[in-house]
Amino acid sequence: MRAVSSPHPALPPVGTTPVVDVAVTVHGVERRLRLKLESHNPQGSLKDRIAVFLIEDVADRIDKDIGIIESTSGNLGVAMAAECQERGIPFNAVVDPRTSSFFVDRIRELGARVTVVDEPDSSGGYLLNRIRHVREQLRTRPGLVWTNQYRSEANPRAHFATTAPELRRQVPGPATLLVPVSTGGTLAGLARYVAETDVPWTLVGVDVHGSAALGGAPPGRRLLSGIGASCPSYFLPADRAQAQYVDVGDAIAACLWLSEHAGIGVGGSSGATVAAALRLFGEDPDTHELVCLCPDGADRYLSTVYHPGWRAAHGITAARIGGVTAPGGADPAEAWG
């Protein structure tokens, strides 16, 4: 399976991202975290994989004078803006106030239009109102096409066709994979791959408290972008047995700890996945290796997750993931400054 290439050769190919191992000791037992770093994609995130698939799925309906629209928390907006710029297609990104200036600026630099929906919806988030705005635009601008990452089968198909085969080559034996959830497309694509092949994987969905993405939990206030949703995932069953929920403080503590003691910068959704893995290590002394899918890097969260002022403004103080040390001997909480 080769890396996914855009029909426009000026864009670099997507995929072939590395798996990097981090040795940790949890309650005195040596373990191994295996991190699939999607920040190595051309536009810096896992969403690079689905941008091409989403656009190709509606290619025969696109009016190049009007273009396409998509609701995004940031990464997909950047990936789609780059792809649309290369194809000469107008792109309209619908974001909200949690979308950092990094994403807004980058999407605009790539020639796309950005609309910020700043009214919270009934769940306390913005997703439902972002989607409402998209639907209003479709009614008032005939010819505009919505790629709809929340329901398009192109979303999980991208991961079935690219992410899963890559991971199988990199992690050929039995493995437990922790996958952060927003739309649920990544987890659904991997689950389909497990169902249709003999790959010996156990999949665990990772979400944050306040998210309804995995079902079974009422929506609430969320701070981290790129993980969680105000409504259940269209792609996943509502009662997934393999699910881990993480507090925002634990997710951020894991981000800071990885950066400080392993030299690896990841985003908040990746931090949530790492925090869940460390918790699972602590609960089971016989688990010696876990694989974490890390959707993006630290570069796009310097003004939020990695900024002491932002953390203080949101009341995020110390969070401790107990019993964990890295090769340098540091507990995750010691990354806080």
Side-chain angles (χ1 to χ4, degrees):
M1 183 75 193
R2 294 186 302 170
V4 178
S5 296
S6 163
H8 303 271
L11 287 179
V14 174
T16 65
T17 57
V19 171
V20 175
D21 293 346
V22 177
V24 295
T25 300
V26 182
H27 298 312
V29 180
E30 292 187 4
R31 321 293 182 98
R32 181 166 69 159
L33 279 173
R34 311 203 71 192
L35 310 180
K36 174 76 165 161
L37 299 180
E38 290 295 294
S39 58
H40 288 252
N41 277 310
Q43 301 304 323
S45 85
L46 178 74
K47 295 293 188 178
D48 286 25
R49 295 180 183 272
I50 74 169
V52 174
F53 278 73
L54 287 172
I55 294 171
E56 284 295 304
D57 196 54
V58 300
D60 60 346
R61 296 193 286 122
I62 295 175
D63 183 328
K64 287 200 171 184
D65 291 326
I66 301 173
I68 60 180
I69 189 168
E70 185 57 272
S71 162
T72 172
S73 60
N75 278 320
L76 181 63
V78 171
M80 292 192 69
E83 187 67 27
C84 285
Q85 182 184 63
E86 192 64 29
R87 294 171 183 247
I89 299 170
F91 176 55
N92 303 263
V94 181
V95 304
D96 63 54
R98 287 185 312 203
T99 306
S100 75
S101 58
F102 173 95
F103 292 118
V104 173
D105 293 345
R106 182 61 181 146
I107 292 169
R108 286 178 173 150
E109 286 170 3
L110 290 164
R113 174 183 176 184
V114 177
T115 301
V116 181
V117 173
D118 57 7
E119 181 181 348
D121 55 39
S122 58
S123 70
Y126 297 91
L127 174 60
L128 302 181
N129 281 347
R130 288 196 334 235
I131 293 175
R132 184 174 294 115
H133 176 79
V134 170
R135 295 189 186 281
E136 289 172 355
Q137 291 298 299
L138 295 175
R139 286 194 296 270
T140 59
R141 298 173 63 191
L144 186 66
V145 173
W146 182 19
T147 44
N148 197 353
Q149 63 164 320
Y150 310 102
R151 292 196 171 222
S152 171
E153 289 300 322
N155 182 343
R157 187 166 65 245
H159 299 294
F160 175 84
T162 72
T163 316
E166 267 185 50
L167 268 168
R168 187 172 190 176
R169 291 194 300 272
Q170 294 167 317
V171 186
T176 297
L177 275 55
L178 284 80
V179 182
V181 174
S182 54
T183 65
T186 306
L187 187 57
L190 294 176
R192 177 186 161 197
Y193 189 82
V194 170
E196 296 187 13
T197 69
D198 60 352
V199 62
W201 292 345
T202 298
L203 301 178
V204 178
V206 177
D207 205 352
V208 289
H209 293 297
S211 168
L214 287 172
R221 178 173 175 263
R222 292 178 290 116
L223 286 177
L224 296 178
S225 64
I227 186 170
S230 301
C231 57
S233 167
Y234 172 78
F235 303 113
L236 298 170
D239 56 348
R240 291 195 59 82
Q242 294 279 15
Q244 290 283 322
Y245 286 88
V246 175
D247 290 327
V248 62
D250 290 341
I252 292 175
C255 289
L256 299 177
W257 174 69
L258 268 179
S259 176
E260 175 92 4
H261 301 292
I264 298 173
V266 298
S269 61
S270 306
T273 307
V274 170
L278 295 175
R279 178 198 298 159
L280 291 176
F281 279 148
E283 292 173 352
D284 184 2
D286 294 325
T287 298
H288 294 279
E289 179 177 297
L290 291 169
V291 182
C292 296
L293 187 61
C294 298
D296 60 8
D299 59 331
R300 48 212 64 202
Y301 303 101
L302 299 181
S303 64
T304 55
V305 169
Y306 290 88
H307 196 289
W310 180 88
R311 298 196 300 270
H314 288 89
I316 302 170
T317 55
R320 183 174 296 273
I321 307 170
V324 180
T325 57
D331 184 281
E334 292 178 14
W336 292 84

